[in-house]
Amino acid sequence: MSPATLQFDRIAQRILAAHPAPDLRGITVLLPNMHVAQSLAQALLRAAQRPALLLPQMVTLNDWAQSVPLQAAVATDSQRSALLYQQLRKLQWFENADLWSMTQELLKLFDELTHSLSELPGDADSFAAAVQQAWQARQNTTLQLEARLVFELWRAMQVGAELDAARAYQQRLAKLADGAVCPLYVLRASEWDAVEQRFLDEYEQHAAVKVFDLREMEAKLSAPLFFAAISLEQEARAAAMQVRRWLAAGKRDIAIVAQDRVVARRTRALLERAEVLVADETGWTFATMSVSTVLDRWLTALQSDFYHHDLLDLLKSPFIFADMTAGERKSAVYQLEQLLRKQGVVSGLEKFLALAEHEVALHQPLARLRQAAALLEQNKKKTLAEWLAALQQSLNILSVDTGLQQDEAGQQLLRALETWRQELHGDEGRYRYAEWRRWLAQQLDTETFRDSSIDSPVRFTHLAATRWRAFDAVLLLGCGADHLPGAADGGRWFNDAVRSALNLPTRSTHATRQRHDLLALLAMNDAVLVTWQKDKDGEARLLSPFLQIVRDEYEQAHGNDLAERELHGVLAAEEAHQVGLPQSVQPAPTAASEAVPERISISGYNSLVACPYQFYARHILRLNELDEVQETIEKRDYGERVHGILQRFHEQFPQVSGRDMAEMEAALRRISEEVFADLLVQDFAARAWLARWYKSLPAYLEWQTESEAEGWRYAESESAFDWQLEGIRLRGRIDRLDVRGDEKLVLDYKTLDAQKLSNKLKEPGEDVQLACYAYAHEAADAAFLSIESGKVKLVAPKDDVPLLAQLNAERLVQVMARIRDGAGLPANGIDQACMHCEIRGVCRKGEWV
């Protein structure tokens, strides 16, 4: 006979001894939860030995109390929260505090203060008298400032005709106790709250009360097995494996009592991978769910003036624009992302609309965003109900509500928004947009969703919910000392000193209750596995002291430390049967001839020389990274602006010799300011780049003068070329071409140190840029022009440029022909080429080097 069956049979016999079968309707049994009702009913049937019974009323105390009608209205939590927030804001006691968070903590304290009264008030007058009595008692002690503030605010919040939930609960219990006529049987596993204990005391004055306290009954604790994991992953794997073993053994009611929610999430993922669904009695707050993420993304995008990352995150939500097909949504997001990255627009919905003016598929969603944004006016103060109404309307315009209606959690979220709006309809407090957002975030963090659609023999639950319950097997998950006992939800502001001053339960009270619940669980169930991490981040971790005592006592009595010894072997066997992936090798793919590009840029050729695999990924597979939307000026932008400045300068002044150098420098400064003008508006750091460029102006004019003295003359700049070679076209754009009679000199501006440029030219053919430029323009000379740190210097190849150009052209023709014929493209780039290569994660160099 199982421990649970034994205990329920004893209770059934005691009840039937006082109330003979078959009619038990004259008594009431208080249960810790409704899961226990079936077990007790079955025990009563067994004990009565009858085919049928008229069962007693079996109910939880809260459900019983809710059945008692009250004449006074009961204020909702949202109404109380708004009222208290306005009081705190008016008092200005905590200017830099998160008042919404403090409001939530204070309301919990107020409810506990109400429940701590020495009597059970049944109406407003008796409640006021009880509060006055409590206040006089506290005046005899020196209250801390925080405790005094709490008490004064609590008293102030009781003024008014409406009841709060705690007062309503008290009055209902008082009415139940006052009208008691039926004998009452109570199943208890740990200490009750003070208000519930007072209810029993007052009920007993009118009718018989019998308490079955599991702590006082002859309940032998089971001997749980203990699994000490060395990591979170091992603990989760062990937990999932044990559940699967229990299922294979025929167990059909398995409870996972999770103390560590992180391990619980990983365990759930592993079980679902093994096609074991898990029901969840604890649920998840909406703040952790994807259905509320779309709200947060929408409001964040609005608050950030549609910063491009926030906007793209919003548009990638599966819930927005649900009236469009999935293909239409994805296409619109892709088009917008390409447009933003190409144009470099950082934020501003109107700017995005202007960019997409001629893109019909893209313009319509953006226009709907503008329409929805107009409803949530951030510069105005509104009531909470008005903000919620505006939010609901905006969700309708964006068809987010349609998307949420297709999800069970989304439906509950929409109902919650509507419920809060109705509850707060009469609240006249006005709030800024930021205040309302913090309120909404807190509401989503306190509202819980439970998925009732999953029917599974495996369920997640919490320790308090296991009182008097029997399972086929129990997994106590994450039972390290840092999780069991868990911290009481006392908040950040009001510690145990304040709670003690107010005669409220403290952390030790909470810990004692957890210990009793744990011992009750072990008394009712005989198949229990405990898991915890004995090592975490390289540090040793202890088992929960509650369970360590159980383990030590068993070892002293039986010489067995209760360590689980089979599971390690099962896990090792599972690992041995896993399919091993072949070791990565250096990739050298081939390309179909039709996939090989017919045109190649200078940068593409450089990529081919640096690493053939990089060229394969970038220019054949086209795995190029998307350009980032630039929010600050970078070195590349600086170089491009320098190119533009020099192009405009030399178009106006092809020759500087014989001109006043001060005038030339002034002209260069004027042009520089014009070219940098847009950057100076959007990025303050652009001024530093401009100042850096100014340092080089005298040196540049000096070099230009010396070049002209050698006979060179500026001819053209930014000249594009598209050169047909055998089987391939080579394209590019040169920065500048100078001439001296029939001689040509190709120049490439570089805002790099001259030494770094010299290093690029050390090995002939490693950098193809200058050679290709020279080949395209039939120039005998080519050089980099280093403009950096106030110095300007020409850096030319040491080799014969025409010969180098011819060899580079021939090499390109030959290599492209071999690629078309099926030659491999190995990942053979040197470390310097790999350092900033975005393809490194594709070639997996770290796996095979």
Side-chain angles (χ1 to χ4, degrees), residues 258-266 280 282-284 460-461 483:
Q259 302 301 123
D260 186 337
R261 295 289 279 178
V262 178
V263 180
R265 281 195 292 268
R266 181 58 181 154
D280 194 343
T282 57
W284 301 89
F460 277 119
T461 189
H483 289 104

Side-chain angles (χ1 to χ4, degrees), residues 32-33 257 259 461-469 513-514 517:
N33 54 74
V257 184
Q259 302 301 123
T461 189
H462 56 96
L463 194 55
T466 64
R467 293 168 185 165
W468 280 91
R469 290 175 70 180
R513 185 169 296 164
Q514 282 188 304
D517 287 339

Side-chain angles (χ1 to χ4, degrees), residues 259 463 476 478-486 514 518 543-547:
Q259 302 301 123
L463 194 55
L476 281 165
C479 293
D482 49 346
H483 289 104
L484 184 65
Q514 282 188 304
L518 176 65
L543 177 64
S544 163
F546 299 159
L547 288 162

Side-chain angles (χ1 to χ4, degrees), residues 521-541:
L521 177 65
L522 297 179
M524 296 291 289
N525 297 274
D526 55 5
V528 180
L529 175 67
V530 176
T531 71
W532 90 101
Q533 295 172 54
K534 67 176 182 179
D535 294 296
K536 188 176 182 181
D537 300 327
E539 296 184 8
R541 289 289 189 269

